[in-house]
Amino acid sequence: MDLTTTYLGLKLRTPLVPAASPLSEDIDSIKRMEDAGASAVVLYSLFEEQLRQDRLELNRNLEQGTFSSPEALTYFPEPEEYHLGPEEYLKHIAAAKQAVRIPIIASINATINNGKSVGAWTQFARLVEQAKADALELNIYYVPTNLNLSGAEIEQTYVDVLKAVKAEVTIPVAVKLSPFFTNFANMAKRMNDAGANGLVLFNRFYQPDIDLETLEVKPNILLSTPMAMRVPLRWIAILYGRLQVSLAATSGIHRATDVLKMLMAGADVTQLCSTLIRHGVGHVSVIEKELVAWMEEHEYESVAQLKGSLSQKNCPAPSAFERAQYMRAISNYAVS
Amino acid sequence: MSTRPKLTVDANEGVAHVAYRLNEVMAIYPITPSSPMAEFCDQWASENRKNLWGTLPSIVELQSEGGAVGAVHGMLQTGSLATTFTASQGLLLMVPNMFKIAGELLPAVFHVTARAVATHALSIFGDHSDIMACRTTGWAMLGSASVQEATDFALISQAAALKSRIPFVHFFDGFRTSHEVQKIEALTDADLRALIDDQLIAEHRARAMSPERPVLRGTAQNPDVFFQNREGCNPFYAACPQIVQDAMDQFAKVVGRKYHLFDYVGAPDADRVIVLMGSGCEAAHETVDHLVKKGEKVGVLKVRLYRPFDISGFIGALPASVKSLAVLDRTKEPGATGEPLYQDVITALMEGLAAGIGKLKSMPKVICGRYGLYSKEFTPAMVKAVFDNLKSSQPKNHFTVGINDDVSHTSLTVDNEFSTEPDNVIRAMFYGLGADGTVGANKNSIKIIGEGTDNYAQGYFVYDSKKSGSMTVSHLRFGPEPIRSTYLISRANFIACHLPTFLERYDMVKPLTTGGTFLLNTPHSKDQAWSKLPTPVQETLIARKAKFYVIDATKVAHESGMGGRINTIMQVCFFALSGVLPRDKAIDSIKYSIKKTYGKKGEEVVAMNLKAVDNTLEHLHEVPVPNRANGSGPLLPPLVAGAPKFVNDVLGKITAGDGDDLPVSAFPVDGTFPTATAQYEKRNLALDIPVWDEKICIQCLKCVAICPHATIRAKVYEPAALKNVPGTFKSVDSRVPDFKGLKFTLQVAAEDCTGCQLCVDVCPAKNKTEAKLKAINMRPQAPLRDSERANWNFFLELPELDRRKVKTTQLRQQQLLRPLFEFSGACAGCGETPYIKMVSQLFGDRAVIANATGCSSIYGGNLPTTPYCVDKAGRGPTWCNSLFEDNAEFGLGFRVSIDKQKEFATELVKKLAPQLGDDLVSGIVNAVQADEAGIYEQRERVTVLKQKLGELETPEAKALLTIADTLVKRSVWIFGGDGWAYDIGYGGLDHVLASGRDVNVLVMDTEVYSNTGGQMSKSTPRGAVAKFAAGGKPAGKKDLGLIAMSYGNIYVASIAMGAKDEHSLRAIVEAESYPGPSLIIAYSHCIAHGIALDQGVGARQQKLAVESGQWLLYRYDPRRAEAGENPLQMDSGAAKAKVQDYLLSENRFKMLTKSKPEDSKKLFAQAQADSERRYKFYQFMSGRNLKSENAPAATAKSAATVDQQP
């Protein structure tokens, strides 16, 4: 069975790629992903905000209470240097590269400063490339709350970030986006035009929740359910064959059947997260086995054959991916 | 000037730079003011810095100074170059081993920051009483007088020790020298090599113990041989002075600075000479220079090598013209014919003259005096007073200088107007709030000036006695000549006030010179600032023709993202106004230094400081000083009105900063002070205070329990008490069924609150329409101050609940008891004091407390005002601190003594039965004092007893009257921290626990030596970064509770109030009720953990520690075992979170992920394993059923003793 696929120009053995998650914080875990058959690994994200927060917090903690009492002028020894920048992440890339043969895709998340600054994005991108990552995923994660910021300005910021990064590095760059754009297809096209090598659809945000006992708002992330795959499924199907970018599907992909659907919609790879957190990274091999079994049973020869076969372009009823379908689904449900 | 690098350092750092390079092994232990030397060495070792021979020194922390010196002894015997750093009691703990080390001619140098030994009180400050207490040990003693000398002598003493084989105490004055920052010349590796002879090291190694050439040392000898054997060392001592001089000469050849065993400065034909040693030499030197220029024939002889005392060197250094000498000692030896240096000088002169040594023709007149004890100021005016005394026909002998001794009339009169300060020295004083960055910025300014210009620079920093809201005063001098002014600035040409509220209380502009500059950080505009000044401050500014500048630094800091740190802003203002550097150059230097200082902490930190620099000057404004004062009124009094006379007259003066003016007669002669004095010092520290929302409150009293300063109180009372109520006083019906029909009030002491927010953080009640609000919320203090003062005073007058009616195991009732520990100087948000407060509420009216030295003895017993207080009947805890190491034994002494007196009293009561009546006697003798009612009744009986005894004339009756009070149960408490309990005091604690006596030990476990700045103890958890564990503590925490449980008859509890307050309460009540030894290990969050203490997170951290399994809650009650049940009850469940979640929430652990990420991963994983293993082990132990080995234990609660209390 030929499971090979090409994503961001990288030739991969299968379309099964673990998504950015805490699972890749540990080198042993990355090795186990490779052993289980992962064809590439997207590393956990390097968060600029976290680094900034860490630095300010460290400074605050070291200064707190100092020079107040003659006996305790300070409370901590001060080392000659701190590892406060992205060094740890870069070392991690290098260690991962050393440990496995599959491609390592780095992921970065810098801050968007009122839609203006792209400094950290380009700096991180350059460093990640120097650390020999095979590709880069830009995790543009932005929840605007400014009432005066227009959608156009936000979209332009995304484009600016991507362009700046592309100007800085030669490794392929994918952009992980949320679906929350007025016209996502247009946004995808703009990313495509700005030089993105791939789109990762979609980002899932931490969403606030309310704890009724403590009366507190507690942001958390729930593991995805298979229902979550419907949104990326639609947009991948719509975009397939209309842009040059690679398409990665993520959200709600739990079983081989989910992988198959995504591939048929037009994804080049499927990124797995919740299912690996739930079942362990070894689950990649289970999905692969099921994938092969299904393909054999249904007499498919290759992933290439599957890819995009039910995209909007190739499916029997293209309007099924469009909004009108919504009404019919409801009415069908009502009569059945 | 030489090309050696210049350092701007204090003596601790200067000495550590030399000692680190010259040693291979170090045994360390923290003690103020020497700790920084050991901290530097540990830190450098963690950075893999090599010593002079290219190897990494090995550093080991011991459990006490006694342990450290033992280890050094072993290091020396096996041929290493070894050292330690210590002071005061620490040095005294080393004395027995010092005799050994000297007796065995082992070359070593101990670097000692000379500090007072505790007598009637503890003092962390400098004098020579520790040095003098070990002058019989046979160690050579070399004293340095300045930061440069201390650095130089660290090398000279090492060279001389190796050559002479005599160990050296190298000492310099605690704080005055150890903490004074000066620009000095660094010693290079080449300098060190030039003085240290490797051949001597080889010889030291050759003498070492080795199984290749075995020897035996440390024999026991009998009267037949010991004496003559002991005398064998004499030639070594005879040779030693010359060896030291040779080393000094060699040093002069290499480095250029010349020193002698005794250095004379002054007129070559002086007739009056002062002899002294230590930092006072510098002030004397400065004064002598000044007086000689004016034609006076005076001089000063600086003693460098005090032991062995070289008679010919001493006499040889004196000018032949000398007619009278004043020998000044910085120590007191009560009952002696004179202090030690004086006695040495007398003997040297007598012997020297008799032997015809030197140029003196006849014996000069010699007098002696004491100065500068416990870092008392020693100024040129005092030096002049000594010279003037020598001039008089009948000079006062055995005098004191610097105090007003109106009891023994020893003191000299000092003309405080006399000053030697030259005009070309810029003298600046800065009044800052501890932790606002003022001191750090000033140290930085000294560096900028010291290292960026040819000027000399000096900085000395004075801190007050409180840990929260403390005032720091920085004294900075800059000038073209070396600065010898080893005393505080009394005439400043620049004064800055960094916290406006200090100005309400302290007349800080008094030292301003004519035409000087006063800079004030104030929220008021330049047009309003003048009128807001207190009138006396205005008057001084007018009289001095001062220039007055203002800036709203707090606002600039906030706008620059600096939070409350105004340091950089005020530093820019200083440079802009003082003219010590051209303004542009100064700004450039500050920016360069910011990048250098903060660069490693990240660009954000640098950026916000740079922004602050750029934002400053436009906000700095000059305010014209008018001709007439029209200020806000007089300065605030130090204490509130109505304090008792002694409190007002003596403690008030200390509070006002005028303690130096108090005469000898003002003080109690034996160190006894009244309690209940903190209530008079209204510090108004909090910008925001908690405000009670009575409609939301569920009256759980968690806020009252956790408040570290006892500033939130609750009362229930009869509605009838609400007469003449202040307008804003709040009162609601009590929600507690037992108190139905009574009123309830939660009241905040607005002027005593530190604003730590712990109360708000623990409040479980939320406002239903606006969930961010709770039953208490922080609100600005200023607008509430007056009304809340009235409410507080009214609240205090409300009657206290009858203690017999309070269920003490229910927090919401128990917290109604009046705390007998209030308003301490502990850090805002302290994690220790809530436990002490709880003990004081429960047992304070009959508690006798022994307190180990540490945070709890400082906030518990530091002058001027102290927090232990009394109830309406005048009863309250009686408290004493003995030492750091002996606290358990000290407390055991209380118990044994009280028990004996009670036993004797009981015997006498029985004997006097015919006169007292059988009912009373039997009532007293058979009293059950298990609860408040029992105690109350016994107190009543004892009152009757004392009345009856007063009418009896028999010796027995009189004797019984003196001890009758002991018939009421006394609660003996032993308080201390983990440094005491786990380390230095552990041996004693173990012994006391094993004694079976009824003592209650409360260990406030912060897991570091908090008071001395966060050094590792054996309680420090694995992976924590602490001083002495700069690379993260590799070993796990000692399980003190488990060790104690092994005895079987000790009540042991591990508690964490922030995690489960009612469990803490239960354990404390059970421990006290247990009629044997009890050990309570109380998790105490601490500023040294690196948590946002000022944002009230402490209790949350405690909870997380328990939920992650890092801290266990349990109680081990031997009474349960007696009932056949498992004595151990686990009170915390299986972990709900990973240990790492907890570790990463505290800087002490998280820091390691930033400094040594690889190590942190390893240690954090081990910490997780530690926690899981410990939990399983405790679960296993508590799960056994002692009645039947095969059956699993029932979760028995039946024997829980306190459950059955009413």
Side-chain angles (χ1 to χ4, degrees):
Chain A
M1 182 64 61
D2 177 10
L3 297 179
T4 57
T5 183
T6 301
Y7 174 60
L8 306 176
L10 304 166
K11 187 127 175 102
L12 304 181
R13 193 184 65 78
T14 77
L16 304 178
V17 175
S21 83
L23 292 171
S24 54
E25 282 174 4
D26 181 44
I27 294 291
D28 278 345
S29 163
I30 295 174
K31 275 193 209 159
R32 278 185 275 119
M33 289 175 188
E34 182 182 48
D35 294 345
S39 62
V41 174
V42 188
L43 293 184
Y44 67 93
S45 283
L46 169 65
F47 280 92
E48 187 199 3
E49 215 172 0
Q50 185 67 48
L51 294 180
R52 280 171 60 87
Q53 183 63 26
D54 275 6
R55 289 180 199 141
L56 291 171
E57 207 178 86
L58 178 80
N59 181 55
R60 198 200 118 90
N61 281 326
L62 289 176
E63 286 185 341
Q64 188 185 216
T66 56
F67 300 116
S68 304
S69 151
E71 298 207 69
L73 301 182
T74 61
Y75 289 100
F76 289 103
E78 257 201 53
E80 237 172 356
E81 60 161 345
Y82 295 105
H83 305 272
L84 291 170
E87 308 96 36
E88 280 313 291
Y89 190 77
L90 303 174
K91 269 198 228 160
H92 193 67
I93 295 175
K97 286 293 294 173
Q98 196 103 50
V100 297
R101 273 174 298 180
I102 52 176
I104 294 295
I105 302 169
S107 168
I108 60 178
N109 180 323
T111 51
I112 293 183
N113 183 9
N114 283 334
K116 290 190 185 73
S117 152
V118 293
W121 289 97
T122 51
Q123 182 208 350
F124 287 176
R126 189 170 57 244
L127 292 169
V128 155
E129 180 175 49
Q130 284 165 5
K132 302 271 189 278
D134 296 288
L136 171 62
E137 188 171 294
L138 300 181
N139 179 8
I140 309 183
Y141 178 116
Y142 182 48
V143 181
T145 54
N146 181 348
L147 298 182
N148 297 316
L149 195 61
S150 73
E153 286 172 272
I154 295 170
E155 291 183 4
Q156 188 56 44
T157 307
Y158 277 59
V159 174
D160 291 346
V161 165
L162 174 64
K163 278 188 175 164
V165 168
K166 281 297 289 181
E168 194 71 33
V169 297
T170 56
I171 53 172
V173 177
V175 186
K176 192 170 185 175
L177 294 169
S178 82
F180 306 122
F181 292 94
T182 309
N183 178 2
F184 181 77
N186 170 259
M187 194 62 207
K189 180 171 181 302
R190 290 181 70 187
M191 298 318 266
N192 179 83
D193 297 349
N197 302 87
L199 297 179
V200 185
L201 310 178
F202 287 107
N203 212 341
R204 296 177 65 241
F205 296 156
Y206 271 70
Q207 303 288 12
D209 190 15
I210 287 174
D211 184 325
L212 290 175
E213 286 308 310
T214 62
L215 298 187
E216 281 169 12
V217 179
K218 287 185 175 161
N220 59 14
I221 195 161
L222 298 171
L223 295 183
S224 70
T225 62
M227 277 310 291
M229 67 177 280
R230 301 295 180 88
V231 181
L233 183 86
R234 163 186 292 194
W235 285 108
I236 286 170
I238 290 171
L239 296 176
Y240 177 79
R242 299 166 77 176
L243 302 171
Q244 286 84 49
V245 290
S246 298
L247 295 171
T250 180
S251 294
I253 303 166
H254 290 244
R255 296 175 300 257
T257 48
D258 303 333
V259 173
L260 285 160
K261 290 175 189 175
M262 286 299 195
L263 292 172
M264 288 176 177
D268 295 301
V269 292
T270 51
Q271 292 193 1
L272 311 172
C273 182
S274 293
T275 192
L276 303 188
I277 290 174
R278 191 173 283 137
H279 303 294
V281 294
H283 197 61
V284 178
S285 68
V286 176
I287 294 178
E288 184 179 330
K289 270 188 212 130
E290 287 171 3
L291 180 67
V292 171
W294 190 92
M295 287 172 73
E296 281 172 357
E297 194 185 325
H298 296 80
E299 300 180 352
Y300 279 86
E301 286 166 7
S302 67
V303 161
Q305 203 180 359
L306 278 168
K307 210 186 275 182
S309 56
L310 273 160
S311 63
Q312 193 180 33
K313 205 168 118 193
N314 297 335
C315 75
S319 65
F321 286 111
E322 290 170 9
R323 187 171 167 272
Q325 179 63 12
Y326 181 66
M327 299 305 291
R328 204 178 312 149
I330 296 291
S331 55
N332 286 350
Y333 180 77
V335 293
S336 64
Chain B
M1 224 172 178
S2 90
T3 55
R4 284 183 179 74
K6 301 290 178 292
L7 293 177
T8 311
V9 292
D10 62 20
N12 274 335
E13 189 171 351
V15 170
H17 272 296
V18 175
Y20 184 81
R21 284 180 287 170
L22 290 183
N23 284 284
E24 300 163 305
V25 285
M26 300 171 205
I28 56 175
Y29 190 77
I31 185 165
T32 306
S34 74
S35 310
M37 286 188 282
E39 290 163 9
F40 279 119
C41 291
D42 176 65
Q43 189 178 317
W44 295 333
S46 82
E47 290 164 11
N48 206 22
R49 272 204 219 179
K50 304 292 177 4
N51 71 6
L52 192 62
W53 296 275
T55 185
L56 183 68
S58 183
I59 299 177
V60 54
E61 184 193 358
L62 270 294
Q63 88 288 5
S64 71
E65 290 88 351
V69 74
V72 170
H73 187 188
M75 293 162 177
L76 294 168
Q77 271 295 2
T78 42
S80 287
L81 298 170
T83 191
T84 187
F85 313 95
T86 194
S88 191
Q89 279 88 223
L91 184 63
L92 267 61
L93 282 178
M94 295 186 175
V95 164
N97 241 308
M98 288 171 72
F99 273 93
K100 300 277 306 173
I101 291 168
E104 291 162 358
L105 292 173
L106 294 168
V109 179
F110 288 2
H111 302 277
V112 175
T113 50
R115 165 182 156 183
V117 178
T119 50
H120 65 285
L122 171 140
S123 166
I124 57 170
F125 293 100
D127 71 24
H128 300 159
S129 51
D130 53 357
I131 298 302
M132 292 306 182
C134 58
R135 67 189 194 278
T136 56
T137 56
W139 282 53
M141 292 180 170
L142 188 65
S144 18
S146 68
V147 179
Q148 182 71 65
E149 283 180 23
T151 308
D152 295 348
F153 288 9
L155 172 57
I156 289 168
S157 53
Q158 182 73 50
L162 281 167
K163 177 88 176 167
S164 65
R165 294 187 61 189
I166 291 175
F168 273 63
V169 167
H170 165 230
F171 68 93
F172 43 101
D173 289 353
F175 282 104
R176 186 65 252 181
T177 309
S178 70
H179 283 56
E180 178 182 303
V181 178
Q182 280 259 14
K183 173 180 173 178
I184 64 161
E185 196 178 80
L187 297 179
T188 64
D189 282 2
D191 296 335
L192 270 53
R193 279 213 185 81
L195 260 87
I196 301 297
D197 184 349
D198 280 352
Q199 176 56 34
L200 295 172
I201 297 169
E203 288 169 19
H204 170 54
R205 299 248 204 262
R207 291 188 294 265
M209 292 168 68
S210 161
E212 305 298 322
R213 38 187 164 74
V215 293
L216 186 143
R217 290 183 188 140
T219 53
Q221 297 182 346
N222 294 319
D224 52 347
V225 299
F226 187 101
F227 190 176
Q228 58 271 44
N229 197 161
R230 183 76 188 103
E231 294 297 325
C233 65
N234 295 349
F236 290 85
Y237 289 86
C240 185
Q242 189 55 49
I243 290 171
V244 176
Q245 189 56 59
D246 290 347
M248 287 173 162
D249 293 346
Q250 173 69 3
F251 183 88
K253 217 163 93 187
V254 176
V255 181
R257 280 183 292 280
K258 292 194 177 84
Y259 298 108
H260 301 90
L261 306 184
F262 301 91
D263 272 314
Y264 175 77
V265 176
D269 55 349
D271 52 14
R272 287 166 292 150
V273 170
I274 288 177
V275 181
L276 79 173
M277 60 186 178
S279 62
C281 293
E282 294 289 283
H285 185 147
E286 182 180 293
T287 316
V288 163
D289 281 350
H290 181 90
L291 293 174
V292 168
K293 265 188 215 150
K294 297 200 157 181
E296 296 223 31
K297 295 186 185 312
V298 293
V300 57
L301 189 72
K302 306 177 188 177
V303 178
R304 315 295 202 178
L305 185 69
Y306 175 57
R307 284 284 181 274
F309 198 98
D310 182 46
I311 292 178
S312 66
F314 173 73
I315 296 180
L318 283 171
S321 52
V322 66
K323 294 201 172 60
S324 60
L325 286 173
V327 185
L328 297 184
D329 266 286
R330 202 164 197 160
T331 189
K332 179 171 175 65
E333 193 172 321
T337 51
E339 268 65 34
L341 183 60
Y342 166 70
Q343 296 203 38
D344 285 314
V345 166
I346 292 278
T347 308
L349 285 170
M350 294 297 289
E351 279 198 19
L353 282 172
I357 296 170
K359 298 163 281 184
L360 289 183
K361 296 286 176 279
S362 61
M363 180 75 181
K365 180 182 279 184
V366 186
I367 59 169
C368 69
R370 292 180 294 279
Y371 73 104
L373 268 66
Y374 319 105
S375 283
K376 174 67 81 186
E377 280 285 277
F378 184 57
T379 64
M382 295 172 198
V383 176
K384 180 161 183 297
V386 174
F387 281 126
D388 290 348
N389 183 42
L390 278 177
K391 218 184 326 190
S392 74
S393 56
Q394 292 281 311
K396 194 176 258 186
N397 198 359
H398 302 283
F399 61 83
T400 57
V401 64
I403 58 168
N404 174 8
D405 178 4
D406 58 344
V407 172
S408 312
H409 308 287
T410 59
S411 48
L412 303 182
T413 306
V414 175
D415 170 15
N416 283 322
E417 291 305 305
F418 177 80
S419 168
T420 54
E421 296 250 22
D423 293 337
N424 58 1
V425 172
I426 290 181
R427 295 181 296 276
M429 292 172 76
F430 303 80
Y431 289 80
L433 175 70
D436 71 356
T438 299
V439 172
N442 284 329
K443 287 190 172 179
N444 189 259
S445 298
I446 300 170
K447 256 192 196 329
I448 289 174
I449 295 163
E451 292 171 12
T453 72
D454 289 338
N455 273 322
Y456 287 88
Q458 179 205 46
Y460 188 75
F461 307 92
V462 179
Y463 308 86
D464 81 16
S465 58
K466 302 282 201 294
K467 287 169 189 275
S468 52
S470 60
M471 185 168 79
T472 63
V473 188
S474 307
H475 297 251
L476 269 58
R477 288 184 175 95
F478 307 102
E481 307 291 332
I483 296 165
R484 299 188 184 281
S485 308
T486 48
Y487 49 90
L488 301 178
I489 291 171
S490 58
R491 289 161 194 210
N493 25 42
F494 182 94
I495 293 176
C497 174
H498 290 193
L499 186 74
T501 52
F502 286 156
L503 203 56
E504 295 171 4
R505 223 167 273 273
Y506 303 100
D507 188 2
M508 58 182 68
V509 293
K510 237 178 359 188
L512 201 63
T513 52
T514 302
T517 299
F518 177 54
L519 167 66
L520 176 65
N521 167 29
T522 171
H524 301 301
S525 70
K526 64 178 176 188
D527 301 325
Q528 288 190 323
W530 173 260
S531 63
K532 300 286 180 187
L533 293 181
T535 312
V537 173
Q538 287 186 340
E539 286 164 354
T540 309
L541 293 178
I542 293 166
R544 302 284 154 81
K545 298 184 171 53
K547 294 189 201 73
F548 177 36
Y549 290 86
V550 293
I551 182 168
D552 188 349
T554 314
K555 188 172 147 208
V556 179
H558 279 293
E559 285 172 359
S560 314
M562 301 270 291
R565 306 273 295 183
I566 56 165
N567 51 353
T568 302
I569 296 146
M570 298 306 283
Q571 188 185 18
V572 171
C573 295
F574 165 68
F575 275 108
L577 299 177
S578 67
V580 63
L581 280 179
R583 193 177 277 201
D584 289 347
K585 191 182 170 192
I587 302 278
D588 286 348
S589 302
I590 293 172
K591 287 189 170 176
Y592 173 76
S593 139
I594 284 170
K595 286 176 196 154
K596 214 172 128 188
T597 314
Y598 298 109
K600 65 178 174 180
K601 292 181 185 168
E603 60 206 49
E604 293 79 11
V605 183
V606 172
M608 69 186 186
N609 275 283
L610 292 179
K611 194 171 169 196
V613 173
D614 290 335
N615 287 349
T616 296
L617 290 180
E618 60 185 281
H619 291 91
L620 176 64
H621 304 291
E622 178 162 12
V623 176
V625 175
N627 296 326
R628 209 170 52 79
N630 60 338
S632 61
L635 293 168
L636 295 178
L639 300 180
V640 292
K645 188 170 167 32
F646 175 82
V647 175
N648 199 59
D649 295 354
V650 178
L651 303 184
K653 225 168 158 73
I654 305 175
T655 308
D658 297 326
D660 282 319
D661 299 341
L662 288 166
V664 172
S665 65
F667 295 94
V669 292
D670 55 0
T672 305
F673 283 81
T675 63
T677 52
Q679 59 180 314
Y680 301 111
E681 194 181 6
K682 298 297 175 201
R683 301 203 296 144
N684 285 296
L685 292 178
L687 294 176
D688 296 303
I689 55 166
V691 172
W692 181 41
D693 185 342
E694 72 280 15
K695 294 182 199 75
I696 307 292
C697 181
I698 56 171
Q699 302 179 12
C700 65
L701 303 198
K702 284 177 182 294
C703 56
V704 180
I706 204 73
C707 175
H709 291 80
T711 59
I712 300 192
R713 307 262 179 98
K715 276 187 184 176
V716 294
Y717 48 89
E718 294 288 344
L722 290 171
K723 276 183 198 146
N724 303 322
V725 184
T728 56
F729 189 81
K730 294 177 193 163
S731 178
V732 292
D733 292 337
S734 170
R735 294 168 64 126
V736 178
D738 290 345
F739 303 139
K740 200 161 186 251
L742 299 181
K743 288 286 179 186
F744 172 86
T745 292
L746 190 80
Q747 179 63 46
V748 174
E751 297 190 286
D752 301 295
C753 174
T754 63
C756 75
Q757 303 181 52
L758 262 177
C759 51
V760 176
D761 205 63
V762 299
C763 177
K766 288 199 176 165
N767 186 314
K768 290 203 165 48
T769 52
E770 204 175 337
K772 69 181 176 200
L773 297 178
K774 295 181 159 190
I776 33 173
N777 303 291
M778 300 304 283
R779 295 283 177 264
Q781 191 247 26
L784 295 168
R785 194 187 286 185
D786 291 340
S787 57
E788 287 307 299
R789 183 190 299 125
N791 289 338
W792 173 252
N793 289 336
F794 179 80
F795 176 86
L796 288 181
E797 292 307 315
L798 288 172
E800 297 284 344
L801 201 62
D802 185 337
R803 294 176 64 89
R804 290 172 293 175
K805 291 184 181 158
V806 176
K807 284 179 185 157
T808 53
T809 52
Q810 289 182 12
L811 193 83
R812 60 186 345 205
Q813 293 202 21
Q814 180 270 335
Q815 281 300 319
L816 294 166
L817 298 174
R818 191 211 193 284
L820 296 176
F821 176 85
E822 61 186 11
F823 322 139
S824 76
C827 298
C830 175
E832 295 188 355
T833 46
Y835 296 110
I836 294 184
K837 190 184 63 175
M838 188 175 265
V839 169
S840 83
Q841 289 171 303
L842 290 163
F843 319 111
D845 59 352
R846 53 195 176 86
V848 188
I849 302 169
N851 206 131
T853 311
C855 278
S856 54
S857 74
I858 297 302
Y859 59 65
N862 207 344
L863 290 188
T865 65
T866 55
Y868 287 96
C869 56
V870 294
D871 63 14
K872 280 258 178 322
R875 294 192 191 96
T878 185
W879 181 96
C880 190
N881 158 245
S882 173
L883 294 169
F884 193 10
E885 62 270 25
D886 73 342
N887 188 48
E889 300 92 311
F890 187 50
L892 177 72
F894 291 173
R895 181 81 269 167
V896 173
S897 152
I898 291 166
D899 285 353
K900 180 61 234 173
Q901 287 177 28
K902 186 185 175 191
E903 187 180 68
F904 184 37
T906 309
E907 288 164 9
L908 290 173
V909 166
K910 285 183 189 162
K911 230 186 237 180
L912 292 168
Q915 293 95 316
L916 296 170
D918 287 344
D919 284 354
L920 180 63
V921 169
S922 123
I924 287 174
V925 172
N926 301 317
V928 178
Q929 302 182 57
D931 55 19
E932 286 294 331
I935 302 274
Y936 180 88
E937 283 156 21
Q938 182 74 339
R939 278 203 180 117
E940 298 278 288
R941 289 185 207 104
V942 170
T943 305
V944 175
L945 170 71
K946 282 158 79 175
Q947 275 164 3
K948 291 197 172 186
L949 290 172
E951 295 156 11
L952 300 176
E953 286 296 322
T954 64
E956 277 107 346
K958 284 183 178 160
L960 180 54
L961 199 52
T962 65
I963 52 175
D965 285 335
T966 58
L967 292 164
V968 178
K969 186 178 173 187
R970 291 201 172 165
S971 191
V972 173
W973 284 86
I974 297 173
F975 290 170
D978 49 285
W980 160 69
Y982 286 68
D983 287 359
I984 195 169
Y986 175 68
L989 174 63
D990 174 62
H991 197 86
V992 169
L993 289 174
S995 73
R997 292 282 192 156
D998 185 7
V999 293
N1000 307 293
V1001 180
L1002 175 65
V1003 179
M1004 288 161 284
D1005 194 346
T1006 62
E1007 308 190 317
V1008 276
Y1009 289 80
S1010 300
N1011 190 48
T1012 47
Q1015 294 83 2
M1016 162 177 79
S1017 78
K1018 284 203 287 299
S1019 172
T1020 305
R1022 201 193 296 277
V1025 172
K1027 307 260 185 77
F1028 297 176
K1033 190 182 175 216
K1037 181 185 170 93
K1038 165 174 167 176
D1039 196 337
L1040 183 64
L1042 188 61
I1043 298 171
M1045 277 184 248
S1046 70
Y1047 282 103
N1049 66 337
I1050 298 166
Y1051 179 90
V1052 185
S1054 171
I1055 63 176
M1057 193 183 287
K1060 230 178 182 179
D1061 40 25
E1062 215 144 81
H1063 175 258
S1064 292
L1065 173 60
R1066 189 160 291 238
I1068 288 171
V1069 170
E1070 284 179 0
E1072 207 275 343
S1073 72
Y1074 180 64
S1078 301
L1079 172 67
I1080 302 165
I1081 306 168
Y1083 182 83
S1084 305
H1085 61 256
C1086 177
I1087 197 167
H1089 292 179
I1091 56 174
L1093 202 64
D1094 52 353
Q1095 291 170 14
V1097 302
R1100 217 183 303 165
Q1101 289 307 116
Q1102 293 199 22
K1103 201 165 177 204
L1104 195 50
V1106 170
E1107 284 179 352
S1108 69
Q1110 176 85 351
W1111 187 271
L1112 294 183
L1113 302 181
Y1114 62 80
R1115 288 167 296 154
Y1116 179 98
D1117 192 336
R1119 286 169 291 201
R1120 286 173 56 90
E1122 284 164 21
E1125 286 165 299
N1126 191 320
L1128 178 64
Q1129 290 169 283
M1130 285 286 282
D1131 300 314
S1132 53
K1136 288 189 206 156
K1138 289 272 172 215
V1139 170
Q1140 179 150 326
D1141 296 343
Y1142 161 72
L1143 300 182
L1144 288 176
S1145 68
E1146 302 202 343
N1147 192 51
R1148 55 178 168 152
F1149 302 106
K1150 192 172 181 180
M1151 218 180 131
L1152 196 62
T1153 66
K1154 307 295 170 206
S1155 60
K1156 305 210 163 185
E1158 290 307 315
D1159 292 359
S1160 77
K1161 277 182 201 149
K1162 208 171 61 195
L1163 290 172
F1164 284 13
Q1166 287 175 9
Q1168 181 70 46
D1170 288 345
S1171 152
E1172 288 168 13
R1173 192 175 47 240
R1174 190 174 55 239
Y1175 181 73
K1176 277 185 203 151
F1177 181 68
Y1178 272 78
Q1179 207 183 25
F1180 174 82
M1181 286 211 310
S1182 62
R1184 298 300 91 191
N1185 186 331
L1186 302 187
K1187 280 182 178 158
S1188 158
E1189 284 206 355
N1190 298 324
T1195 47
K1197 278 190 182 163
S1198 56
T1201 49
V1202 291
D1203 283 348
Q1204 293 157 8
Q1205 283 206 353

